[in-house]
Amino acid sequence: MPQPSPAPRAAPHPVGPAFSGWLPGVDGICYGGDYNPEQWPEEVWAEDVRLMREAGVNLVSVGIFSWALLEPQEGCFDFAWLDRVIDLLHANGIRVDLGTPTAAPPAWFFHATPHARVVTRDGVTLGPGSRGMVAPSSPEYRAAAVRITTELAKRYGTHPAVALWHVHNEYGAPVSDDYSENAQHAFRRWLLERYGSLDALNAAWGTAFWGQVYGDWDHVQVPAATPTTANPAQRLDFARFTDAMLLECFTAERDAIRTHSDVPVTTNFMAAACPSTDLFRWAREVDVVSNDHYLTAADPRNHVGLALAADLTRSVAGGKPWMLLEHSTSAVNWQPRNVAKRPGEMARNALTHLGRGADAIMFFQWRASRSGAEKFHSAMLPHAGTGSRVWREVVQLGADLGRLSELRGSRVRADVAILWDQESFWAQDLEWRPSEDAVPRERVEAFYDRLWRDGLTVDFAQPGQDLSGYRLVVAPASYLLRADDAANLTAYVAGGGTLLVSYFSGIVDEHDAVHAGGFLAPLRDALGLTVEEFLPLRQGDEVGLAYGAEGRELTGTVWADDVALDGAQVVASYVDGPKPGGAAITRHEHGAGTGWYVSTRLDVESLALLMGDVYADARLAPSGLDEDLEVVRRHGEAADYLVAVNHSATDLKLPGQVAAGQATDLLTGEPVTGETPVPAGGARVLRLPR
Ligand code: GLA
């Protein structure tokens, strides 16, 4: 059987959108939210724009779910109400982020095209009456989506109020995988294009195993429910296919818009929250990267997750300014317990996004809906009206962002990168892995949290991209690691970089096939070892480690390896568990750099000891600030800016050397010298002297 050729993959360069402009006519930081005037009588609209002006709103997202009103019957359009809304906003100096309404097709569409509905893996057809329930590979859906988008682009493409196109809504949510007949046909076409022949497909999927060899393209299926686990390479390709179908829907609408409009195009991502889209790929297709972020209410440290999502968004944008297109003023309505934001929390959230590179702070939504599924979701203008705490904080935030206009366009720089490869997550998240406790996202979050606590700003990076600008690269979960990506990481180390790799990395290639030479073989040169056997632990079991010359005690959980050393120096050994005396943590010099390997799960506290030594190799040091004081720097052309957010209930101080010389507090306009207090639960934004 022929060997599969390496599967094509989008070129790793460049990272982020090609477009380097910004929204026309929006000065300063964008501030506003989703605006759904069609849910309200027209007399409310005048009050809306008056209050928007009071709150400092300069941009609203309109028409995201308006398809049924804009095209009440197939091919019959009614834009009169939208004309009036857009003209009213324009007259009041508020710009429009104009939605294409394709996340919620009208009832007539489903009536005429029932086979465009999504079918789940278990064979359930999802009904209408909700949103996001169309098969992305349906030709009828794509044609209808392009038709309404074209009509909108023709009508509003040069309207002076329109500053941005908001295509669709959150591709990949609420469902992404579709196992319908449409998907079946499209999957075969996609596979044929990718592999060219059945021989290549059989080789890539390893179909000799369990007798799955295909002799006819018509026999190839979407990986719907099977009696036992389905072919993992097939499922990995199905994840790629799903992503590709969604992206094709986006580019079709984007291209329809571009025929009639020069206004930049975005679609709102859900960085770190939507597993079905490979955002590094998507970011190359948009003009401006935008993101939606909602706190996990159950997590008391959810501001760290927020920072991770913001850093990931900036990273997929290639470091360019990005937009926070949605977050909430207070509670959402769709988590098990929808905790209201405490006073000041919304501003802390907003300023954290801003500090990490957002040049737009927007919400879902402007005015709370009285009806429908989201009536208990917070809004800028809540049900309680303008007498409410939330409204007062919204007005205050608008005024504060107005004082921060000069931050627009400034950039965040990071010395550390954490690897993020969506394909690897897709592969590792399949069934029958050595331990269900080895969860890739958990490791990414643990290393991110350690770096967050140490005050080190982090980018996320793909394993194949140019890493030479980073002092430290952390690979917490690189289960799937292509040989060329491993070569890139090895060259990074040889060139002087410090690489830290966590367990269950470098295991399979792009077809989920174990690398020739065994586990970790592609990183043997960089790390000075391979893994002979995985030694996962029983649930709840711990393994003891002796770290360094003093044998300091550490505890690992979940995982251990039987490591085959090939030049690496042992930094920590197991004292008990499945391989007492075996290497647990290693360090290896390769070329001008260093490769570290950690073969067990250390919690965030235990990681401090290891990371201290890793930082030393990378010529990095923790900031030394209080762990609850989050500080990020943005670099502008004329000045640098420091955004400091105090997440604790105690007043904290920014030491004098952080803002050395005379800085200006942009929120108060006051000069600041020396030690700067950051009040409990508060934030400071300083312009630093150059
Ligand atoms: C998503 C959607 C919005 C709204 C919010 C509620 O992000 O894009 O339309 O449903 O969730 O949190």
Side-chain angles (χ1 to χ4, degrees), residues 34 65 131 169-170 268 292 294 326 332-334 364 374 377:
D34 285 19
F65 296 107
R131 63 174 177 183
N169 191 63
E170 296 187 336
N268 46 342
D292 296 349
Y294 292 94
E326 289 181 25
V332 299
N333 65 306
W334 41 266
F364 176 83
E374 296 187 316
H377 197 291

Side-chain angles (χ1 to χ4, degrees), residues 605-618:
E605 282 75 24
S606 312
L607 278 174
L609 182 61
L610 164 67
M611 293 309 279
D613 286 338
V614 172
Y615 294 155
D617 273 340

Side-chain angles (χ1 to χ4, degrees), residues 41-182:
E42 213 158 319
E43 51 275 17
V44 175
W45 301 358
E47 184 190 53
D48 281 333
V49 289
R50 181 175 63 73
L51 291 176
M52 284 177 191
R53 288 170 60 123
E54 189 178 319
V57 165
N58 57 11
L59 181 72
V60 288
S61 306
V62 178
I64 300 172
F65 296 107
S66 308
W67 195 346
L69 290 180
L70 294 172
E71 191 180 356
Q73 292 171 44
E74 185 169 3
C76 298
F77 301 95
D78 174 10
F79 293 112
W81 69 272
L82 187 57
D83 289 350
R84 293 198 296 282
V85 169
I86 293 181
D87 290 344
L88 178 67
L89 291 165
H90 183 51
N92 284 275
I94 298 159
R95 301 270 156 179
V96 174
D97 166 30
L98 188 53
T100 70
T102 54
W108 58 253
F109 175 82
F110 291 107
H111 181 74
T113 327
H115 53 277
R117 288 176 291 168
V118 168
V119 176
T120 66
R121 190 156 187 244
D122 292 331
V124 176
T125 304
L126 301 182
S130 175
R131 63 174 177 183
M133 54 286 165
V134 196
S137 53
S138 154
E140 291 93 344
Y141 167 67
R142 289 189 185 193
V146 166
R147 187 177 59 221
I148 180 69
T149 299
T150 304
E151 292 301 321
L152 283 164
K154 278 198 223 160
R155 191 167 189 94
Y156 302 108
T158 55
H159 194 296
V162 177
L164 184 68
W165 286 99
H166 178 303
V167 170
H168 198 88
N169 191 63
E170 296 187 336
Y171 278 103
V175 287
S176 51
D177 288 13
D178 166 44
Y179 298 83
S180 66
E181 272 299 306
N182 278 313

Side-chain angles (χ1 to χ4, degrees), residues 308-393:
L308 186 158
D311 285 343
L312 178 59
T313 309
R314 183 189 66 253
S315 300
V316 302
K320 289 181 177 165
W322 55 277
M323 305 180 70
L324 177 67
L325 219 46
E326 289 181 25
H327 71 317
S328 64
T329 56
S330 189
V332 299
N333 65 306
W334 41 266
Q335 295 183 12
R337 286 162 206 86
N338 296 298
V339 178
K341 289 191 183 177
R342 303 296 188 253
E345 190 174 359
M346 176 189 76
R348 287 198 300 281
N349 293 165
L351 291 177
T352 304
H353 284 291
L354 180 93
R356 294 180 184 276
D359 278 358
I361 301 297
M362 313 270 292
F363 293 95
F364 176 83
Q365 60 175 331
W366 162 251
R367 187 188 274 271
S369 303
R370 287 189 57 210
S371 305
E374 296 187 316
K375 54 185 168 290
F376 299 128
H377 197 291
S378 60
M380 297 176 83
L381 183 55
H383 293 297
T386 53
S388 60
R389 171 188 72 82
V390 166
W391 174 254
R392 284 190 295 277
E393 292 194 23

